[in-house]
Amino acid sequence: GNMISVHQRNDKLIPYKLVDETDTPINVADADVTFIVSKYPNWREIMITKTVVKTEPTEGKIAIELTADDTDLPAGLYIYELLLIDVDGHRYTADQGWLNIITSIGEVI
């Protein structure tokens, strides 16, 4: 998967394109897509759960909107997952990767 980096207590908008194994865009028009972040290696401890914004659903284009509250986490590596639940309720892990939370000296403000 990818690596997403963001400083602590920062807002960040992450554009994203969901594709299948053949690099074909996944149509997410009728699906729910959730961005989930958990601790590593203790992945059962969920830190962030967000419904993503669909920017161009038929092209698989979404945006993950992280807020300063979301990224108010100890610096380090976390696991993220994009969970897709289709119109019939089937669950697919559309992608998985790393979220790198970088120490911010402005964090104390």
Side-chain angles (χ1 to χ4, degrees):
N2 295 320
M3 168 82 79
I4 296 169
S5 293
V6 59
H7 285 85
Q8 288 168 312
R9 289 176 55 96
N10 275 217
D11 296 292
K12 189 172 176 94
L13 182 67
I14 304 152
Y16 214 94
K17 186 172 181 179
L18 291 173
V19 293
D20 66 16
E21 302 79 33
T22 64
D23 251 8
T24 307
I26 298 169
N27 183 343
V28 294
D30 298 322
D32 286 323
V33 187
T34 309
F35 178 74
I36 305 162
V37 173
S38 67
K39 279 189 169 174
Y40 177 80
N42 183 16
W43 54 268
R44 289 190 179 276
E45 201 170 331
I46 304 291
M47 311 303 286
I48 303 172
T49 307
K50 303 221 88 158
T51 300
V52 305
V53 177
K54 299 172 194 173
T55 50
E56 289 180 54
T58 55
E59 292 301 307
K61 289 186 181 175
I62 59 170
I64 303 154
E65 290 184 21
L66 296 181
T67 66
D69 281 346
D70 293 330
T71 61
D72 190 4
L73 295 170
L77 275 181
Y78 296 80
I79 301 171
Y80 78 79
E81 190 167 289
L82 284 162
L83 174 67
L84 194 147
I85 300 176
D86 72 14
V87 70
D88 299 318
H90 298 124
R91 296 164 61 96
Y92 305 97
T93 298
D95 196 22
Q96 204 173 49
W98 299 98
L99 175 68
N100 182 25
I101 299 288
I102 304 163
T103 304
S104 169
I105 55 171
E107 190 213 1
V108 291
I109 298 170

